[in-house]
Amino acid sequence: MESGDNITTLFPTCVFTSPSLLDSVENKKISDRVTELSSKVDNGGENWSCNTLNSLGTLDLRDDPAFSEVIDAVTDKVRKFARFFDSDYDYKMSESSYNVSLKGNFQEGHVHARNIFSCVYYISAPVGSGNLLLYSNENEMMPLHNITNYTGYNCMTFPIEPKEGLLVIFKSSVRHMVEVGHNEDPRISLSFNFN
């Protein structure tokens, strides 16, 4: 760059991760509860094209005391992430559900309208689980050419590998999907939205 030239970073997409939100005992407790519920609760997300079992619209996790510890922990992390944006608003959870993905399951691309923050917490993530794929808000535009090194400034998609105990928080406007899984055992996650 020449003298006087300047680059200003505008409209960045920030993603918060926490590698081990809950201890193994609490994680096992909610894993068992999701397994129990998934055999009793109707499949939700009636407008989805995907084949992942979920409780969106059929069971809100806030109504089940077994999830109170994870809900409190996620809420605390969302409020800490909001402080990064200099927002001291008291964000409230608006939706919560579970997802059970078997071999061959996926989740099509979507955003969470009427929300500010969206979260995924991985209870179990066996080998071969589909990645969470986040899209740049520029994904409908022409991409840069001849990129020699992919970074957060020039990539159009960003994969996050699911790992047991991992919490991921991002702005609800970020388009995202789950790639087709090749896992032999169920991948279990919880989804939360805040507004």
Side-chain angles (χ1 to χ4, degrees):
M1 290 185 34
E2 297 176 20
S3 176
D5 291 349
N6 184 43
I7 295 175
T8 302
T9 302
L10 296 174
F11 319 120
T13 299
C14 302
V15 178
F16 177 100
T17 59
S18 182
S20 52
L21 184 69
L22 301 177
D23 65 38
S24 59
V25 172
E26 182 63 20
N27 205 56
K28 174 78 166 97
K29 182 178 95 172
I30 58 176
S31 175
D32 291 346
R33 183 65 177 144
V34 169
T35 300
E36 176 188 354
L37 290 169
S38 65
S39 65
K40 298 178 188 176
V41 175
D42 289 338
N43 193 23
E46 60 191 45
N47 295 323
W48 295 120
S49 298
C50 70
N51 50 5
T52 297
L53 176 66
N54 70 73
S55 68
L56 183 64
T58 57
L59 173 73
D60 193 316
L61 304 181
R62 294 174 294 176
D63 297 332
D64 189 323
F67 298 97
S68 62
E69 187 171 328
V70 68
I71 287 171
D72 290 345
V74 169
T75 300
D76 180 61
K77 296 293 187 182
V78 165
R79 290 177 181 160
K80 286 179 179 172
F81 187 36
R83 301 302 178 269
F84 171 80
F85 297 100
D86 294 324
S87 173
D88 63 358
Y89 186 77
D90 188 21
Y91 294 94
K92 304 284 187 201
M93 190 175 290
S94 57
E95 297 173 307
S96 57
S97 58
Y98 62 73
N99 307 284
V100 179
S101 298
L102 306 173
K103 186 175 185 176
N105 288 169
F106 69 97
Q107 176 68 63
E108 71 265 25
H110 62 284
V111 297
H112 295 273
R114 296 176 305 281
N115 289 288
I116 297 170
F117 293 108
S118 293
C119 316
V120 179
Y121 174 67
Y122 294 99
I123 298 171
S124 66
V127 173
S129 292
N131 288 333
L132 172 63
L133 193 62
L134 304 177
Y135 289 88
S136 163
N137 286 332
E138 295 182 3
N139 68 349
E140 301 296 324
M141 306 303 291
M142 288 295 296
L144 296 169
H145 301 292
N146 299 335
I147 294 172
T148 58
N149 181 37
Y150 282 93
T151 69
Y153 290 110
N154 60 25
C155 66
M156 299 301 271
T157 60
F158 186 80
I160 296 178
E161 182 182 356
K163 296 195 180 300
E164 183 176 316
L166 175 67
L167 172 67
V168 181
I169 306 173
F170 48 92
K171 297 285 283 301
S172 299
S173 59
V174 174
R175 187 170 176 77
H176 57 285
M177 66 167 287
V178 178
E179 295 175 320
V180 173
H182 303 287
N183 46 301
E184 296 296 334
D185 296 318
R187 177 184 64 79
I188 302 173
S189 64
L190 305 180
S191 298
F192 306 96
N193 288 311
F194 286 78
N195 61 27

